[in-house]
Amino acid sequence: MNQHGSAILRFCTLQLRDAKLAEDAAQDVFVKAWKAMDRFQGRSSEKTWLYRIAINTCRDYQRTGWFRWMDRSVTPEDMLQTGWDEPRFDHLPITRAVQTLPPKWRTAVYLRYCEGMKLSEVAALQQVSEATVKRWLSRAAAALRQELKGWYDE
């Protein structure tokens, strides 16, 4: 939890768009991992395994009736408070733009570019082919270019 806790929390915040709900989800991820520790076979890294649990946990949260009626108004400032802070770069416009992407694209972008995972790892976590991940990333890049047009030109 010390090693991957803040990254899992950022991921859950990005997926659920609610800082408090993301804290609950991140905690659930580590409880589930702890309970399943004896079943971890080591075919992937711990990080990859935790992200797979996080993806499933966030999907479980999104399937509930409660989630559909909630105000999921996480702001980019909330993202910064959960550890997404790099003082040399202003992430706010990027964070806002990434939040507008469809969930699958958003997850692929986060895992590939924020967490630095290989395409094969992202594909395994998303349970799709590498070609699909490449297509999502390409489409996400086009959407982000359009969304950030005025911002990155400056």
Side-chain angles (χ1 to χ4, degrees), residues 108-145:
V109 166
Y110 178 80
L111 294 174
R112 178 75 172 125
Y113 299 111
C114 296
E115 291 302 320
M117 291 186 175
K118 297 176 185 174
L119 283 174
S120 59
E121 292 176 310
V122 176
L125 283 170
Q126 295 279 66
Q127 298 177 331
V128 296
S129 69
E130 285 186 43
T132 299
V133 172
K134 285 180 185 179
R135 187 172 57 250
W136 288 348
L137 291 173
S138 174
R139 290 177 181 173
L144 290 172
R145 262 192 299 281

Side-chain angles (χ1 to χ4, degrees), residues 48-140:
T48 304
W49 182 59
L50 286 171
Y51 273 102
R52 184 72 245 161
I53 295 170
I55 287 170
N56 289 333
T57 300
C58 290
R59 284 182 184 161
D60 290 345
Y61 274 57
Q62 291 167 336
R63 287 183 187 123
T64 65
W66 170 255
F67 186 82
R68 283 183 238 132
W69 295 103
M70 284 181 20
D71 175 24
R72 294 177 308 281
S73 56
V74 68
T75 65
E77 290 78 13
D78 292 335
M79 295 294 290
L80 292 174
Q81 289 174 0
T82 59
W84 195 328
D85 54 349
E86 194 166 321
R88 63 180 173 76
F89 197 75
D90 175 21
H91 284 290
L92 295 179
I94 295 171
T95 304
R96 285 188 190 106
V98 169
Q99 287 178 335
T100 65
L101 296 174
K104 291 177 183 179
W105 296 5
R106 186 171 57 232
T107 300
V109 166
Y110 178 80
L111 294 174
R112 178 75 172 125
Y113 299 111
C114 296
E115 291 302 320
M117 291 186 175
K118 297 176 185 174
L119 283 174
S120 59
E121 292 176 310
V122 176
L125 283 170
Q126 295 279 66
Q127 298 177 331
V128 296
S129 69
E130 285 186 43
T132 299
V133 172
K134 285 180 185 179
R135 187 172 57 250
W136 288 348
L137 291 173
S138 174
R139 290 177 181 173

Side-chain angles (χ1 to χ4, degrees), residues 8 12 16 20-30 54 57-58 61:
I8 294 294
C12 291
L16 299 173
K20 297 299 180 191
L21 190 60
E23 289 175 8
D24 292 344
Q27 186 175 8
D28 284 348
V29 168
F30 286 102
T57 300
C58 290
Y61 274 57

